[in-house]
Amino acid sequence: MGILAGYLADQILGDPRRGHPVAGFGTAAAALERPLYRDSRWAGAVYTGVLVGGAGLLGGALTGAAGVAAATWVALGGRSLSATGARMADLLEADDLDGARALLPSLCGRDPEFLDGAGLARAALESIAENTSDAHVAPLMWAAVAGAPGVLAYRAVNTLDAMVGNFSPRYARFGWAAARLDDVANYVGARVGGLLTVACAPLVGGSPRGAARAWFHDAAQHPSPNAGVVEAAFAGALEVRLGGPTQYRHELQIRPTLGDGRIPQVADLRRAVVLSRWVQLAAAVLAVSVASRTGRRACLRPSARCRLPRSARRLRGRAGAL
């Protein structure tokens, strides 16, 4: 019930406009970085461990369905992702490249200054694909298996990866622990996201076979062990080609080609947003199912004995008779 309520809160309310807990965590992380920063992996590991452990302890204080709902809502970003992707498509369709460049940092860390319309569409689509996993599928999976502590710790890991997990000269060593921990935390979620993309591809007129083929053929060439899975699956599902030269503020990366279709256009970006929404819904259904199968039933009154189902009472009576 907590996971379902958290998912619905995200879809209906979206992210809080003011005082978002993730933004507060980012402020605390930036403040802690100043005294702890050293150009070493050990310093980064201590920094990451303190912040992720603190987030997990905070999650442990959130009990019951209401606590899980609050933690899940805080960790999810599905509605904001879809809304930003749709807004980007509107700007590109209106040929407002300046507006699209200004919006792109809301989706990813690319340098938008020299991107044309096709480059902006490709960058936005890749970000929609990756963040469908990072901002929705993976946190739901952590909520299903580890409750509020797990989902808040995951969000802490993912936020730290975005802050210090890049390969800039300052964070090449200090951010190593955050980047590697993020790879581990997203491993299962990315592959669940890939499977759900294959399953949901027909809902947007896409190709499930193309999604699976691109995943298994191209994903391993991506520098990220997780982003490549969902980006390749989206590329194959939408029959577009992603990857290629990717300019970040601190470096130019030559990414491998994902998929063998056409260069993505605005219409493909809109389809990616719709596909992301379907994957988000499917992930919520899966998370609720996993939680309901692995969770433990509890009595409403701790002092009362839980009443067994009739079939179980019969079996117990027969066992007693034997």
Side-chain angles (χ1 to χ4, degrees):
M1 291 301 295
I3 293 171
L4 179 60
Y7 164 76
L8 292 176
D10 175 62
Q11 294 297 308
I12 296 170
L13 303 175
D15 291 332
R17 294 188 177 183
R18 295 182 180 180
H20 197 301
V22 175
F25 174 84
T27 301
L32 186 62
E33 180 185 339
R34 287 191 288 271
L36 291 186
Y37 178 81
R38 303 288 187 280
D39 189 18
S40 75
R41 289 184 176 182
W42 279 109
V46 171
Y47 169 79
T48 301
V50 168
L51 288 166
V52 174
L57 290 174
L58 177 62
L62 301 176
T63 58
V68 175
T72 303
W73 179 31
V74 165
L76 294 181
R79 174 170 174 169
S80 295
L81 177 66
S82 300
T84 306
R87 176 61 179 159
M88 176 65 76
D90 291 340
L91 292 170
L92 292 175
E93 195 167 59
D95 203 27
D96 184 359
L97 296 186
D98 289 338
R101 292 187 183 110
L103 182 63
L104 188 64
S106 299
L107 284 170
C108 60
R110 312 279 177 88
D111 186 348
E113 183 177 357
F114 301 107
L115 293 178
D116 59 8
L120 289 164
R122 190 202 107 192
L125 202 159
E126 290 175 352
S127 182
I128 291 291
E130 180 180 1
N131 284 294
T132 297
S133 172
D134 288 0
H136 199 88
V137 178
L140 282 172
M141 295 302 103
W142 277 104
V145 300
V151 73
L152 288 188
Y154 167 80
R155 179 48 63 207
V157 170
N158 194 245
T159 303
L160 290 175
D161 179 60
M163 293 178 65
V164 304
N166 57 67
F167 293 101
S168 66
R170 175 176 174 84
Y171 295 124
R173 283 183 282 272
F174 185 77
W176 178 86
R180 298 291 78 77
L181 190 57
D182 184 72
D183 288 342
V184 174
N186 275 299
Y187 188 86
V188 173
R191 281 141 189 86
V192 172
L195 289 171
L196 295 178
T197 301
V198 173
C200 294
L203 299 174
V204 295
S207 169
R209 180 176 297 179
R213 183 175 64 250
W215 173 3
F216 290 110
H217 185 265
D218 299 332
Q221 303 176 58
H222 196 282
S224 168
N226 300 318
V229 172
V230 283
E231 288 184 24
F234 264 67
L238 301 173
E239 299 175 295
V240 298
R241 184 169 68 254
L242 302 177
T246 303
Q247 180 66 58
Y248 291 92
R249 296 193 182 278
H250 59 277
E251 67 174 344
L252 172 66
Q253 294 184 5
I254 306 300
R255 296 285 183 85
T257 299
L258 304 175
D260 54 7
R262 61 189 175 275
I263 296 174
Q265 303 297 321
V266 176
D268 299 309
L269 177 56
R270 292 195 185 280
R271 292 172 65 216
V273 171
V274 177
L275 178 58
S276 175
R277 288 172 176 158
W278 279 113
V279 171
Q280 291 173 32
L281 175 60
V285 172
L286 178 61
V288 170
S289 176
V290 169
S292 67
R293 292 173 185 273
T294 59
R296 293 179 297 174
R297 295 183 180 274
C299 296
L300 294 178
R301 290 181 295 139
S303 60
R305 296 178 62 186
C306 290
R307 186 173 179 81
L308 294 172
R310 182 178 299 175
S311 58
R313 295 200 302 273
R314 289 175 179 171
L315 288 173
R316 187 172 66 177
R318 291 174 183 174
L322 290 174

